[in-house]
Amino acid sequence: MKKNKKLLIRGIPVLVVLVVALFFLLEETVVSGGKNYVVKNGSLDAVIESVGEVKGEKATEINIPMEMRDRDLRIWQVKIVDMVEEGKIVKKGDYIAQLDQTEISNRMRDRMQEKEKRDADLKNARIDSTVRLTQLREGITNSKLDLEYNKIDLEQSKYESEAYQRKTQMAYQKAEIQVEKKRRDYLLEQNRLKMQVQRHEKRLDWLNDLIDRYQKAIAATRVTTPEDGIVMFGTNWSGRKYSKDDEISTYRPLLATLPDMSTVISETYVKEIDISKISKGDSVNITIDALPNKSYTGEVVYIASIGEDHQGFDMKVFKVIVRFNESDDELKPGMTCSNHIVFEHYNDRPIIPLEAVYTDSLQRIVFLKHGGKITKQPVELGAENKGMTVVLEGLQEGDRILMHPPEDML
C-alpha cells in the first residue's frame, strides 16, 4: 500500500509536466487553419493583376489603302471579303486581304452616267453659244448699217430746215447708242456663255479625275504586305479582331500590323479604381498562358491619361503598356499574358492572414491573445496579396492572434 502511494506521489509531477506540455503545444499552433497564428515579419508585394496581349513595341501598319480613303469617293466602310490566317509569315508583296469592290463600282457607275449627261450638256452649251453669238453679231452688223443710213441722212440734212437737221442728228445719235449697246450685249453674253461652257468642262474634268480615282481604288482592294513579317489583324470598335465579312471603317483604317518582336510589350487595361496606384517604372512579373513553365519581368512604360469603355469591363479602364526586359523566340504576337504589376513592396513587416482580420465600429481589428487574455486589437493594414496582408501598425513579430475569435466577442 505504501509502495503504491509512493508511486502515485512520484507520478504527479510527471502528469503535471505532461498537462503543461500539452497546453503549450496547443498554444503554439501557428498554421493558418488552426486556432492561433503567430505573427512573423516578412516581405510582401502589392500587386495589381491584369490580362494583356503580347505585341511588338514597334510594328509596320497595314491600313486601308489611301486610294480608298479619298473623301471624294464617299466610301465610309468597306467589307473584308477574304483574308489570310492571323499569324501567317509573309514576304514583301504577299497577299493578305481582299476588300469588297461593290460600293466603289456602284459609285463609279453613277459617276460615269453623270459624265455622259455632262458630255451632252457641254455639246449643247457649245452649240447654243455659237448660235447665240452669231445672232448677236448679226444684230451688231444691222445696227452698224442703220448708223450708216442715219449718217447719210445727217449729211444731206444741211440742205433742209433746222428742225429736220435736228431730227436727223438725234436719229444718228440714237443709232450710235444702239451700236454701242449691241457691242456691250455681245461681250456680256459672250462672257456668260463662256463661263457656262467652262463650268461644264470643269465638271467633266472633275468627273474624269474622280472616275480615274475610283478605278485606282478598285485596284487597291487587293491588299498586300509592305515588308516581311508575321500578320496580326487589327481590332474593331469593340476590341474584337477583324475576321472575314467584317466591316472596317475608313476613319479607323488599321487592317493589320507586322510586329517587330525584337522588343516586346504587353498591352493591357487597368480599372479606374486601380489606375492611381500604379506609376511608370513599376516592375511587372509576366506569365504567358501558352508558356506555363516560363515567366518574364518588365516595367510599366505608358499609362493612358484618359479612360475608355472596353469590352469585358463594367467600368472605365485605362490602357497600360508594359515593356518586357527580355525577349526570346518563343514569344509570339497575340499571346495572352498575365501582368502582375508591383506598385508597392514591403520588407521586414508583420504579415498576417486576411481571414484573421475583422471589422468593428468601422475599424479593422484582430483578436490578440496574450497569456490567457484575449483583447480586440485595432490594426492599420497595408497591401494584400494571395490571402495575406501587411500590418503597418498594431502588431509586431511574435504576437499571437486568433484565427476564429470567441463567439461572445463577436
Side-chain angles (χ1 to χ4, degrees):
M1 186 72 179
K2 289 182 179 180
K3 185 178 181 181
N4 290 337
K5 187 175 182 180
K6 287 181 180 181
L7 289 173
L8 181 62
I9 292 173
R10 290 177 181 176
I12 289 175
V14 175
L15 182 62
V16 171
V17 170
L18 289 174
V19 171
V20 172
L22 180 61
F23 174 78
F24 279 105
L25 181 62
L26 293 174
E27 281 289 301
E28 291 297 330
T29 303
V30 297
V31 293
S32 59
K35 293 183 178 181
N36 303 333
Y37 184 88
V38 177
V39 178
K40 293 183 178 181
N41 285 355
S43 299
L44 185 140
D45 290 333
V47 174
I48 292 174
E49 295 186 14
S50 65
V51 176
E53 181 181 345
V54 174
K55 296 184 175 184
E57 185 169 22
K58 295 180 180 179
T60 300
E61 294 186 350
I62 304 175
N63 295 300
I64 295 177
M66 288 297 299
E67 292 86 349
M68 300 180 66
R69 287 185 276 157
D70 187 338
R71 293 198 174 188
D72 287 339
L73 303 188
R74 304 183 68 81
I75 304 297
W76 314 128
Q77 283 190 323
V78 62
K79 183 179 179 181
I80 303 171
V81 295
D82 186 47
M83 62 198 312
V84 300
E85 291 184 1
E86 186 173 56
K88 181 179 180 181
I89 299 174
V90 294
K91 299 293 184 181
K92 182 177 180 180
D94 282 355
Y95 163 85
I96 63 165
Q98 177 66 49
L99 304 178
D100 190 16
Q101 302 178 359
T102 304
E103 185 176 0
I104 305 174
S105 298
N106 290 340
R107 290 185 178 276
M108 183 176 71
R109 184 172 58 251
D110 292 341
R111 293 306 185 187
M112 292 178 73
Q113 291 174 350
E114 182 184 354
K115 178 179 177 296
E116 291 178 2
K117 180 178 179 301
R118 290 286 179 175
D119 273 329
D121 291 343
L122 176 59
K123 290 177 182 178
N124 292 333
R126 284 173 174 167
I127 293 172
D128 291 343
S129 176
T130 301
V131 172
R132 178 60 178 157
L133 292 178
T134 299
Q135 293 173 345
L136 291 176
R137 283 193 295 270
E138 290 176 354
I140 293 173
T141 300
N142 292 333
S143 295
K144 285 181 178 180
L145 290 173
D146 291 340
L147 181 62
E148 287 296 324
Y149 293 149
N150 282 283
K151 183 178 180 181
I152 294 172
D153 287 343
L154 180 61
E155 290 174 350
Q156 294 298 319
S157 67
K158 61 182 178 180
Y159 302 109
E160 304 295 334
S161 65
E162 291 184 2
Y164 185 79
Q165 292 179 17
R166 178 63 178 164
K167 181 180 178 181
T168 55
Q169 186 178 14
M170 291 175 64
Y172 178 77
Q173 290 175 345
K174 184 177 180 181
E176 279 187 323
I177 293 172
Q178 190 65 22
V179 170
E180 291 301 319
K181 180 180 182 302
K182 293 284 186 180
R183 286 173 175 169
R184 287 195 304 271
D185 290 345
Y186 177 82
L187 292 175
L188 289 172
E189 187 69 3
Q190 185 183 45
N191 289 333
R192 186 185 72 81
L193 293 171
K194 183 179 179 180
M195 291 178 64
Q196 186 179 39
V197 170
Q198 286 177 343
R199 281 197 296 269
H200 286 297
E201 290 175 340
K202 187 176 180 179
R203 183 67 178 181
L204 271 172
D205 289 341
W206 181 79
L207 285 170
N208 285 327
D209 177 66
L210 190 61
I211 291 170
D212 182 61
R213 283 185 276 171
Y214 275 121
Q215 291 172 341
K216 291 179 179 178
I218 289 174
T221 56
R222 187 178 188 276
V223 184
T224 59
T225 60
E227 58 183 55
D228 300 353
I230 301 174
V231 178
M232 299 299 298
F233 285 102
T235 57
N236 59 18
W237 296 102
S238 64
R240 185 177 61 82
K241 284 187 175 293
Y242 289 121
S243 59
K244 183 180 176 181
D245 296 330
D246 280 349
E247 297 276 346
I248 180 170
S249 169
T250 54
Y251 289 101
R252 189 185 174 93
L254 182 62
L255 176 64
T257 59
L258 301 174
D260 176 5
M261 298 301 289
S262 59
T263 304
V264 184
I265 62 170
S266 168
E267 182 180 293
T268 185
Y269 292 87
V270 175
K271 294 181 179 180
E272 59 183 342
I273 59 173
D274 293 326
I275 197 64
S276 61
K277 299 176 183 178
I278 66 176
S279 305
K280 287 184 181 179
D282 284 349
S283 61
V284 185
N285 297 315
I286 309 164
T287 56
I288 310 295
D289 292 358
L291 306 173
N293 298 323
K294 300 192 71 172
S295 62
Y296 300 85
T297 61
E299 67 173 273
V300 176
V301 295
Y302 170 81
I303 301 173
S305 56
I306 299 176
E308 58 183 280
D309 293 318
H310 202 273
Q311 189 178 25
F313 293 90
D314 56 359
M315 63 179 68
K316 293 283 187 180
V317 292
F318 289 75
K319 184 177 179 179
V320 175
I321 301 295
V322 175
R323 181 187 292 131
F324 283 59
N325 291 331
E326 63 280 331
S327 178
D328 58 44
D329 294 338
E330 292 187 272
L331 289 173
K332 305 297 182 184
M335 283 183 169
T336 301
C337 63
S338 297
N339 303 282
H340 307 269
I341 304 172
V342 181
F343 64 88
E344 198 164 0
H345 182 76
Y346 297 92
N347 281 320
D348 197 28
R349 304 296 293 269
I351 308 293
I352 64 172
L354 274 171
E355 61 180 303
V357 180
Y358 295 83
T359 301
D360 183 28
S361 301
L362 302 180
Q363 66 177 348
R364 310 299 292 276
I365 64 167
V366 295
F367 291 89
L368 180 65
K369 185 173 184 180
H370 185 69
K373 187 178 180 181
I374 299 174
T375 58
K376 294 181 179 180
Q377 175 63 40
V379 289
E380 181 181 344
L381 304 179
E384 306 169 2
N385 190 8
K386 296 181 180 179
M388 305 297 286
T389 182
V390 174
V391 180
L392 303 179
E393 290 185 10
L395 292 176
Q396 60 184 1
E397 188 172 27
D399 286 342
R400 189 185 306 278
I401 59 175
L402 298 184
M403 296 298 295
H404 305 289
E407 293 183 3
D408 58 352
M409 297 188 70
L410 289 175

